[in-house]
Amino acid sequence: MTDLQRVTVLAGGVGGARFTRGLLAHLKDAHPDGTGGSRVSVTVVVNTGDDMTLDGLRVCPDLDTVMYTLGGGVSEEQGWGRADETRRVSSEIAAYGRGWDWFTLGDLDLGTHIVRTELLREGATLSEATEYLCRRWRPGARLLPMSDRPVETHVRLGEAADEHPAGSLIHFEEWWVRYRAGVVATEFVQVGLESAEPAPGVLEAIRDADVVMVPPSNPVVSVGTVLNLPGVREAVRHTSARVVGVSPIIGGAAVRGMADACLAVIGVETSAQAVGLHYGARANGGLIDGWLLDEADAEAVPALVDAGLAARAVPLWMRDVPTTARMASEALDLASRA
Ligand code: FO1
């Protein structure tokens, strides 16, 4: 696609951040602007459903994961949080019996939460606070929170867990981190969704893009959360952009995290084919035009094509940036043919 100018990515945390890093690397190479950058502008619409207020601070896990990953400060082995992190302050907070002892806010990471919280208290929107933080990290893409209003994902427990009775709602991060998604969940509830709206620029970023990408983020609690915001699903369905997705499932297993546990909650099988069909072909009222899956799942291509999707099987393991850049290139090529 030679006349590519604008790409919009609907992302969650680690998978979306790593994919976008590869996309930016590919665009610099394929569409250079002559000064070491790319002439293609990239907007990342980021899930804020994992956000929480903890120790009096507003914590935005997915926005920070994308910002640190694209800005070069992320802990590579964790995929989230800062490199060279220490935990002196969180140990002190725990010594006072405060905080979540199963959720560590590192010392460097706390710097981000303190500045963000101060900006919000001064009246900045989350979009403005994010833009301010990105002046330091220079991610090479525009980061937009999906909404400037809090829309936290909470999990309805299907069984009791510690102090939580069956049927109660707990924050997604408690289910995800404290319980490793190992406690039966019956539904995800987006608290505040009914009074939320997409952040400024989100709908335009989807409508005005040449390509909209759905990276290998969690299709339920990350991408799904973004899509559930009023107007977003419609914007994706009707954009003149080509819409391509990348499977977060390879060979029947979630590449990262516990996406299979989330898919089970909404009754979707953990397979590249099932997730592709879950998003659905725009030709048949769905959300995507193309679906990239791993070579291990190549046998699913005919069924996906029959469902109206342009499907292609390529290596999807994001081993390193060059490998991910090739994946992004394949996704863009699929978009140009979808
Ligand atoms: N994940 C963990 O497994 N354990 C943690 O203690 C933890 C702390 C944490 C702090 C800040 C932050 O931005 C992310 C953090 N995460 C932690 C990762 C987090 O669960 C994920 O980034 C997403 O929210 C889920 O994909």
Side-chain angles (χ1 to χ4, degrees):
M1 196 181 266
T2 50
D3 55 351
L4 186 67
Q5 289 168 7
R6 288 177 299 278
V7 176
T8 295
V9 184
L10 307 182
V14 180
R18 284 184 173 160
F19 178 80
T20 306
R21 182 168 60 181
L23 171 66
L24 291 175
H26 164 69
L27 292 174
K28 275 183 190 159
D29 182 49
H31 302 273
D33 64 0
T35 65
S38 156
R39 53 188 166 73
V40 179
S41 68
V42 176
T43 298
V44 191
V45 177
V46 184
N47 167 48
T48 57
D50 298 359
D51 296 6
M52 85 222 52
T53 298
L54 183 58
D55 304 323
L57 300 172
R58 194 65 184 161
V59 177
C60 302
D62 284 355
L63 277 167
D64 293 345
T65 295
V66 176
M67 184 173 73
Y68 292 157
T69 300
L70 301 187
V74 77
S75 158
E76 282 298 338
E77 60 274 6
Q78 281 180 169
W80 52 268
R82 288 286 301 279
D84 309 322
E85 185 59 280
T86 51
R87 288 162 172 68
R88 298 188 71 195
V89 175
S90 59
S91 301
E92 282 297 291
I93 292 169
Y96 283 111
R98 300 292 298 176
W100 287 348
D101 60 7
W102 37 269
F103 193 82
T104 308
L105 293 177
D107 298 326
L108 302 179
D109 196 29
L110 278 165
T112 299
H113 309 317
I114 289 166
V115 169
R116 176 191 290 119
T117 302
E118 183 189 37
L119 290 166
L120 294 173
R121 280 208 189 110
E122 289 169 356
T125 62
L126 183 57
S127 294
E128 290 162 344
T130 302
E131 194 274 331
Y132 180 89
L133 296 171
C134 285
R135 284 184 214 154
R136 172 201 168 174
W137 287 101
R138 309 174 65 73
R142 181 175 57 147
L143 269 52
L144 296 180
M146 69 181 197
S147 176
D148 280 339
R149 308 288 298 274
V151 187
E152 294 183 6
T153 301
H154 287 209
V155 181
R156 173 101 46 214
L157 298 186
E159 59 183 336
D162 298 309
E163 70 275 23
H164 304 298
S168 60
L169 283 175
I170 66 172
H171 191 282
F172 170 76
E173 288 290 358
E174 182 164 7
W175 183 68
W176 190 257
V177 176
R178 184 180 181 186
Y179 298 116
R180 311 309 295 165
V183 173
V184 172
T186 56
E187 66 170 328
F188 295 113
V189 177
Q190 290 181 249
V191 178
L193 181 64
E194 60 289 339
S195 58
E197 59 185 11
V202 165
L203 295 182
E204 293 81 352
I206 295 168
R207 281 201 293 261
D208 300 342
D210 300 304
V211 179
V212 172
M213 304 186 104
V214 177
S217 288
N218 188 307
V220 183
V221 293
S222 296
V223 177
T225 300
V226 177
L227 291 171
N228 286 343
L229 271 180
V232 172
R233 195 177 294 276
E234 285 318 295
V236 174
R237 293 208 37 241
H238 297 109
T239 179
S240 56
R242 309 313 295 155
V243 184
V244 290
V246 180
S247 178
I249 307 295
I250 295 180
V255 169
R256 188 185 157 76
M258 292 78 77
D260 45 344
C262 301
L263 286 165
V265 174
I266 63 166
V268 174
E269 178 199 322
T270 297
S271 74
Q273 177 173 333
V275 176
L277 297 177
H278 169 63
Y279 283 127
R282 281 206 299 172
N284 298 328
L287 291 164
I288 58 175
D289 303 314
W291 186 242
L292 216 48
L293 58 170
D294 188 79
E295 292 162 326
D297 302 304
E299 80 283 348
V301 168
L304 291 161
V305 170
D306 287 350
L309 287 166
R312 184 182 300 175
V314 299
L316 284 193
W317 287 101
M318 297 191 283
R319 295 185 201 293
D320 52 30
V321 176
T323 307
T324 311
R326 275 194 295 280
M327 265 172 69
S329 171
E330 289 282 3
L332 287 173
D333 184 62
L334 189 62
S336 68
R337 301 165 194 274

